[in-house]
Amino acid sequence: MGFYVARNGAAHGPLEEEAVSRLFLSGEADPESLFWDEAGNAWKRALEHPQVGKILDRFSIDPAVLAVANRPMSVAERPVSAVPRPATPATAIDA
């Protein structure tokens, strides 16, 4: 069955279940995103849509985890390796 997702004021699809899963995992869609399917169900939030809700359940995607995972990290939250280090000063070579 093909699904459609509402993004930026337009319907995108049809999408298969795997593509819908990738939208959630990538943060392009969230539990509040609107979905419609080719079976004629009305536009519904992902959590309220019968088939899309099952996709969320199957992957055990917790809306609270998605909200935290998809927000930008502050500098203090970034891993140390992601914080730029100051340039090392050049050393003179003895001749």
Side-chain angles (χ1 to χ4, degrees), residues 5-6 13 17 20 33-34 50 63 65 74 78-79 95:
V5 61
E17 287 186 21
V20 172
S33 296
L34 295 175
V65 171
S74 70
R78 292 183 187 146

Side-chain angles (χ1 to χ4, degrees), residues 38-73:
E38 292 174 336
N41 286 310
W43 286 98
K44 294 182 180 180
R45 292 181 326 135
L47 289 174
E48 296 170 345
H49 190 284
Q51 289 81 21
V52 177
K54 289 178 185 177
I55 294 170
L56 288 171
D57 290 343
R58 184 176 65 219
F59 290 98
S60 300
I61 300 173
D62 182 350
V65 171
L66 281 175
V68 171
N70 292 325
R71 71 172 170 76
M73 283 192 282

